[in-house]
Amino acid sequence: MTARILVVDDIPANVKLLEARLLAEYFDVLTAEDGPKALSIVESTSIDLILLDIMMPGMSGFEVCERLKANPRTAHIPVVMVTALDQPSDRVRGLKAGADDFLTKPVNDLQLISRVKSLVRLKTLSDELRIRSETARTIGMEDMLKNDGRDDSGHILLVDGRASSQERIIKALKPIGDVIAMSDPQAALFEAAENPIDLVIVNGNAGEYDPLRLCSQLRSLERTRFIPLLLVTDLGDEELIVRALDLGVNDYIVRPIDPNELVARTLTQIKRKRYNDRLRSSVRETIELAVTDGLTGLQNRRYLDNHLKTLFNRAAARGRALSICLIDIDRFKQVNDTYGHDVGDEVLKEFAARIRSTVRGADLACRYGGEEFVVVMPDTDPGQAALIAERLRSIVEAQAFPIRSLGIALTVTASLGIAGNEPGVETPDQLLKQADRALYEAKNAGRNRVVAFAA
């Protein structure tokens, strides 16, 4: 994982220390010695995360964070405040200013890197949703990201093995949400999967169950994958915190719990979830009809033409890899000529389903036209893309396609061409042409194979 991190601190020694730790993990690091310079850098440069000192002359970290979060262009950037202040009131003030987390000086290496990686992962998913919504706007669709009226109380699920701590947490959160408390983690998992939940709070205070096992299960289920998780743990339990963040836990709070900090962290997570929910709703409701292929359910060429430009330009600006896979069903005309277009449509639907089962969450799968499909793979070089394409080719070939209307099964294969944004590739059209040439080579070489473009 790579990302561009901005370190803001007026003490050069602190900057150098954080910079060295981040560079050792292959992050791209920018630095600023004060708030105004930090704001200037963020305005002109793409930043993935900000490590922000609180105590700075002129403009404090609190004010910098407030300005960042008030600006729609920078509000989505995660901010971690790095400070010697360790009072709950300071954390509450920072959270109200929009901070995503805190690291206390001297900074622990494990918590620093795990927290940075966790927040960068969350931002990557949010960025993908945001740029897809931007694509909707560029093709003339209505902006659906305005407030949808969901300012009602949050729906919070508390998993806690002790009645006394359940009571304290429920009392603290009563003004801002409806809390359902459970002591059985499996019952809580079912509750989260079957009902609308805005936040799950997992209190690791009971020896009867592993709180990280529950967090892992919540992250693995489709219905609960995007629900924010807040872990309650003990001060100094660094190993548990690091593992939790690696599993995808969004935030944590240490005992003894300060009620004001709990409320602030809870509101932050609920606000972020509802923002991302609106983004997903925007993608689903405003793009589906206009840019979805009616037969296969994949994005259509209209969407690809617009969104590929965004992905290509973003990859170029950040110096990241981008690969494209052009796919053609072998001898598809024979299927239509022999069995009719209805059977051909069944094959196309099943083929699209197998593409969905193969590609990753950040990949973009489209029906390019006829029996041709495209998969765009961000942060993926041609070598990695070829491995993904080979997996898809194998899945297509391995199992015959069921034709339910005739009660038969057809053997189907596909040819795939790969190209990447390597030096010399300056436009999305050039990238597509190179993938098309690679596909042509795959066809000429006997079909049912993956070929990567070679200059």
Side-chain angles (χ1 to χ4, degrees):
M1 175 187 298
T2 185
R4 182 171 293 157
I5 314 296
L6 174 61
V7 178
V8 188
D9 198 313
D10 62 310
I11 300 176
N14 292 340
V15 173
K16 290 297 183 184
L17 184 60
L18 288 172
E19 184 178 23
R21 291 171 176 174
L22 294 168
L23 288 173
E25 296 292 328
Y26 302 102
F27 289 108
D28 184 16
V29 183
L30 300 178
T31 63
E33 67 273 10
D34 56 39
K37 184 175 180 181
L39 293 173
S40 176
I41 290 174
V42 173
E43 281 289 333
S44 60
T45 308
S46 176
I47 299 295
D48 294 304
L49 185 139
I50 300 171
L51 296 176
L52 178 63
D53 185 38
I54 289 181
M55 304 301 292
M56 295 185 295
M59 184 185 295
S60 72
F62 294 125
E63 184 179 350
V64 174
C65 189
E66 288 171 348
R67 292 195 183 190
L68 288 167
K69 296 301 180 178
N71 185 345
R73 293 181 56 192
T74 59
H76 63 284
I77 303 174
V79 176
V80 178
M81 289 190 165
V82 184
T83 177
L85 303 176
D86 59 358
Q87 294 300 311
S89 59
D90 297 316
R91 292 197 294 271
V92 171
R93 182 180 175 188
L95 290 167
K96 288 182 177 179
D100 295 86
D101 202 4
F102 287 82
L103 290 171
T104 303
K105 297 177 181 177
V107 176
N108 176 279
D109 283 359
L110 285 175
Q111 286 197 23
L112 169 67
I113 300 305
S114 61
R115 186 35 124 185
V116 166
K117 288 181 178 179
S118 174
L119 288 172
V120 166
R121 279 196 300 268
L122 290 172
K123 181 177 180 293
T124 299
L125 292 174
S126 182
D127 281 351
E128 181 63 22
L129 290 170
R130 287 191 312 105
I131 63 173
R132 292 193 182 194
S133 295
E134 286 296 326
T135 300
R137 285 192 282 272
T138 63
I139 60 176
M141 301 302 291
E142 182 181 2
D143 182 9
M144 295 288 289
L145 296 183
K146 296 178 182 178
N147 194 305
D148 59 2
R150 288 200 60 199
D151 289 327
D152 54 335
S153 296
H155 300 286
I156 303 161
L157 174 61
L158 170 63
V159 187
D160 193 325
R162 297 179 185 175
S164 57
S165 59
Q166 283 187 13
E167 184 178 345
R168 287 193 296 270
I169 292 175
I170 291 173
K171 181 179 179 181
L173 297 180
K174 186 175 181 180
I176 64 168
D178 301 319
V179 183
I180 300 172
M182 293 186 166
S183 57
D184 182 349
Q186 292 307 308
L189 183 65
F190 181 81
E191 177 72 22
E194 295 299 321
N195 295 286
I197 299 295
D198 293 311
L199 173 69
V200 177
I201 300 175
V202 180
N203 198 340
N205 60 0
E208 291 78 13
Y209 75 95
D210 181 356
L212 297 188
R213 176 67 61 186
L214 175 59
C215 293
S216 176
Q217 290 173 330
L218 287 165
R219 278 291 168 262
S220 65
L221 292 178
E222 182 68 29
R223 293 185 181 183
T224 60
R225 185 166 297 162
F226 299 112
I227 300 176
L229 304 179
L230 174 63
L231 179 68
V232 181
T233 187
D234 291 315
L235 180 66
D237 198 348
E238 296 173 358
E239 182 180 352
L240 179 67
I241 292 171
V242 169
R243 292 181 64 194
L245 294 173
D246 283 342
L247 284 172
V249 170
N250 300 76
D251 200 0
Y252 63 90
I253 187 171
V254 298
R255 286 185 286 267
I257 297 175
D258 176 79
N260 292 322
E261 182 180 355
L262 176 63
V263 168
R265 291 188 183 276
T266 297
L267 287 172
T268 295
Q269 294 303 323
I270 291 175
K271 179 180 179 181
R272 181 183 295 157
K273 177 181 184 293
R274 291 181 173 176
Y275 173 71
N276 283 336
D277 283 348
R278 288 197 294 272
L279 285 170
R280 291 187 186 94
S281 177
S282 171
V283 175
R284 185 170 54 250
E285 295 177 15
T286 67
I287 295 180
E288 258 184 10
L289 294 178
V291 293
T292 300
D293 178 61
L295 179 64
T296 65
L298 298 178
Q299 310 289 179
N300 63 16
R301 184 165 182 172
R302 182 185 184 190
Y303 185 83
L304 174 69
D305 288 345
N306 284 275
H307 194 60
L308 179 57
K309 294 176 184 176
T310 303
L311 293 174
F312 186 90
N313 292 335
R314 184 177 69 167
R318 297 184 177 184
R320 296 183 180 178
L322 176 74
S323 291
I324 193 167
C325 177
L326 189 56
I327 311 159
D328 187 83
I329 301 176
D330 294 330
R331 299 183 174 89
F332 183 73
K333 185 176 184 300
Q334 291 183 11
V335 174
N336 281 333
D337 291 345
T338 304
Y339 300 100
H341 288 278
D342 288 345
V343 170
D345 288 349
E346 288 191 61
V347 170
L348 290 170
K349 290 178 183 178
E350 175 63 21
F351 194 87
R354 298 193 188 189
I355 290 178
R356 284 195 201 91
S357 72
T358 306
V359 301
R360 304 159 304 177
D363 297 336
L364 172 66
C366 302
R367 185 182 178 193
Y368 196 54
E371 67 272 24
E372 283 192 328
F373 297 81
V374 171
V375 177
V376 185
M377 293 172 268
D379 296 320
T380 307
D381 61 40
Q384 295 171 316
L387 294 175
I388 297 169
E390 177 58 29
R391 186 165 71 244
L392 173 58
R393 187 205 64 78
S394 298
I395 289 173
V396 170
E397 181 187 31
Q399 187 173 357
F401 282 46
I403 307 301
R404 294 174 179 82
S405 60
L406 300 179
I408 61 174
L410 299 180
T411 299
V412 176
T413 64
S415 300
L416 304 92
I418 302 291
N421 63 338
E422 298 179 316
V425 180
E426 298 179 353
T427 66
D429 288 341
Q430 189 177 357
L431 184 64
L432 274 169
K433 287 178 182 177
Q434 290 188 353
D436 189 52
R437 291 176 190 171
L439 175 61
Y440 182 78
E441 290 181 25
K443 291 285 189 181
N444 280 349
R447 297 183 173 87
N448 190 26
R449 65 193 64 217
V450 177
V451 173
F453 177 82

